[in-house]
Amino acid sequence: MPQKNYWLAIGREGLLVENDNRLPCTAEPPMPMQPSSRQINLPDLDGKACKAFRPADNYDKKRFKAIDLRASFDILPHHHYNMAGKAAELLYWDDNTHFCGRCGTALEPHTDISKRCPQCGKIVWPLLATAIIVAVTRGDNDEEILLVQSKNFRGDYLGLVAGFVETGETLEECVKREVKEETGLDICDLRYFASQPWPYPCGLMVGFKAHYAGGTITLQRSELNKGGWYRRDNLPAIPGPVSLARRLIDDWKNKL
Ligand SMILES: [Zn+2]
């Protein structure tokens, strides 16, 4: 019997899963590939080899369905969701690194997660866009939390201050800068909470907790629609469970 593989097929419409919501697990690719795509090896999943590729649009629509990668968090086992995210990041990297940035020569595959320029020898790895996210609380018992609505949120809810780390900046400096820029507030007692891959398209979210230290809220109108201090008994709609924002808010909410 040929060995079965897990296939992470991520196309224009999202991740392709069997109609019963399982990842395809077959010896051969379960659907045709886009002509420009290739198979990228991933770490083993549940003891089976695992490969990512871009499926062609003419896959069997009776057998497979496309699901949004974020929505797959609620559908797949957690480690399958994580592997789908890794697949999405590597396919994005593969799509966006055809030529050497130094000399313009076509890159060649080197290892599973690197390409090499045959002309000048430059090696290209996937890039991570690192971002911070922070739960700022105030009050003797952290009665209030700072929530904001970014203009790029995909729904009418409030989340946490977040932003990309700039070149030459520490994570701590980034957190303080983002809170100051977006809300005008100063913070103290910065503590690390947790991190999370954020494959939309190639991010790493680093989560912190902090206390309010001073200032009054002045929202950065170019980035935010609204924001303010909220208590546990008047929380607005908040981000879904897929996000580190939700874990940070839940951590505060459940600590009494
Ligand atoms: Zn080169």
Side-chain angles (χ1 to χ4, degrees), residues 137 142-148 156-160 228-239 245-246 248-254:
T137 54
D142 295 326
E143 288 90 351
E144 294 180 305
I145 190 166
L146 178 66
L147 298 179
V148 295
D156 189 18
Y157 57 85
L158 280 90
L160 300 173
W229 294 104
Y230 290 84
R231 306 174 69 93
R232 290 175 178 85
D233 59 6
N234 76 340
L235 274 184
I238 55 174
R246 177 58 173 269
L248 274 156
I249 295 170
D250 283 350
D251 180 77
W252 163 77
K253 210 170 81 179
N254 298 329

Side-chain angles (χ1 to χ4, degrees), residues 215-231:
T216 48
I217 294 180
T218 311
L219 294 181
Q220 186 182 24
R221 289 291 170 189
S222 59
E223 302 267 329
L224 302 178
N225 290 326
K226 51 187 168 183
W229 294 104
Y230 290 84
R231 306 174 69 93

